[in-house]
Amino acid sequence: MLIRIPRGWEIPERDATPESLVFGRRATLKAAAGLGVAGIAPLAWSSPAVAQGLAAPRDARFQPGREITAEKDATTYNNYYEFGTDKGIHHAAQKLPLSPWTVKLDGLVDTPREFALEDLLKTMPLEERVYRLRCVEAWSMVVPWTGFPLAALLKAVGPKPEARYVRFETAAVPSAMPGLRQSWYPWPYIEACTVEEAANDLSFMVVGAYGKPLPPQNGGPIRIHQPWKYGFKAGKSLVKISLVAQRPKTFWESIQASEYGFWANVNPEVSHPRWSQASERVLGSGERIPTQLFNGYGEFVSGLYTGLQKERLWA
Ligand SMILES: Nc1nc2c(c(=O)[nH]1)N[C@H]1C(S)=C(S)[C@@H](COP(=O)(O)O)O[C@H]1N2
Ligand SMILES: [Mo]
């Protein structure tokens, strides 16, 4: 059978979610938010301690510089194509079984391991970081995430010297994720970064938000967040993290490399081919504010890119 993969410019507008369309949906968003979280099933965590919350001490190094986004906005306006291409997937996402959950660490490591989520929660150094998230579609939010440095997880398996990239793989559960039936997308959702980027202190494995376990619509039970990069780099509901020698072909890069590059560092001066990246719309207030180079995290990460000026470092 010949499977015809549509080129980027053939993807229906609703799938590409250009800025104008995204913000034309504010009415829908408000309506969805009006349903309230009451309709959402309780999260199925096995540990009673975790069920009560997932609070951790806040890391004071990360000051958001603006108001924290309301929990209701951050948890009801989501990008998670496995559940659908619009932003109102939070109800559909409750079908993803979060427990039991394991994350496999494999590839070029000294000790391949499969971690049960509860063990990560018990053994990793949990903290809260208030990080900004800047979507390539030019909206942004500020969320208190609970998690631990990716570096701590990598240390537990010991990357070999030949490992150059880290590949992140999202769960693909057909019974819960209707989006997987859209067979022209290159499922599962794959993202990747270099080993140096992964080891950077900012690279954070997220297991909670707003002092609670991470809900499935935001990538529960475990996702990555690298706040100096556009949001699409942040693979959700991760099942496998592999250390590899070759640069992996990522989900969005396979769909449209000219619009969603490998590095995808936030840069207000480099426009997306279809819209400007100079400013961003604040989720909740709708205010428009200037976008910052590296999303304001240059002091932590700009050193990663010296000598790489020939690369397309910006999406
Ligand atoms: N598996 C998976 N991960 C994903 C996505 C997705 O569609 N599937 N969307 C990405 C995009 S484009 C963004 S902006 C962020 C959004 O995270 P949020 O829903 O918590 O705001 O998740 C990223 N991670
Ligand atoms: Mo995004």
Side-chain angles (χ1 to χ4, degrees), residues 113 115-126 148 152-153:
R113 288 176 69 175
F115 294 93
L117 190 75
E118 307 85 83
D119 293 336
L120 291 177
L121 297 179
K122 272 185 229 140
T123 57
M124 290 289 138
L126 291 188
F148 54 88
L153 189 57

Side-chain angles (χ1 to χ4, degrees), residues 23-235:
F23 295 109
R25 281 205 198 101
R26 296 204 64 76
T28 327
L29 173 64
K30 283 215 178 94
L35 294 172
V37 254
I40 296 175
L43 296 170
W45 285 72
S46 51
S47 154
V50 168
Q52 284 156 23
L54 198 62
R58 186 172 286 187
D59 189 329
R61 285 177 302 164
F62 305 107
Q63 298 298 332
R66 52 191 157 100
E67 230 176 281
I68 288 178
T69 303
E71 181 179 355
K72 200 160 120 189
D73 289 329
T75 56
T76 58
Y77 184 87
N78 302 98
N79 258 348
Y80 202 157
Y81 274 38
E82 286 85 338
F83 292 101
T85 50
D86 68 78
K87 297 291 189 279
I89 53 80
H90 56 284
H91 273 119
Q94 307 311 309
K95 269 190 107 175
L96 184 67
L98 300 189
S99 179
W101 193 276
T102 59
V103 186
K104 197 182 263 180
L105 271 282
D106 69 2
L108 300 169
V109 294
D110 294 333
T111 327
R113 288 176 69 175
E114 188 157 358
F115 294 93
L117 190 75
E118 307 85 83
D119 293 336
L120 291 177
L121 297 179
K122 272 185 229 140
T123 57
M124 290 289 138
L126 291 188
E127 56 176 286
E128 184 177 72
R129 293 188 183 185
V130 183
Y131 271 170
R132 297 178 288 273
L133 183 150
R134 169 62 157 82
C135 173
V136 73
E137 297 162 342
W139 56 267
S140 69
M141 62 179 183
V142 179
V143 173
W145 307 103
T146 304
F148 54 88
L150 172 57
L153 189 57
L154 296 181
K155 210 172 144 202
V157 293
K160 290 185 191 289
E162 319 81 274
R164 294 194 50 215
Y165 296 93
V166 184
R167 176 189 184 273
F168 302 93
E169 184 173 323
T170 290
V173 183
S175 57
M177 297 171 155
L180 300 182
R181 291 199 291 266
Q182 297 188 302
S183 55
W184 54 91
Y185 285 115
W187 310 114
Y189 195 100
I190 301 298
E191 259 311 331
C193 66
T194 63
V195 167
E196 292 74 25
E197 289 177 318
N200 185 275
D201 193 31
L202 282 194
S203 293
F204 203 49
M205 297 301 296
V206 176
V207 292
Y210 301 91
K212 301 170 192 166
L214 190 65
Q217 65 270 31
N218 291 97
I222 184 165
R223 76 178 294 175
I224 169 103
H225 187 34
Q226 296 173 306
W228 72 99
K229 291 178 176 288
Y230 289 114
F232 70 87
K233 295 298 293 180

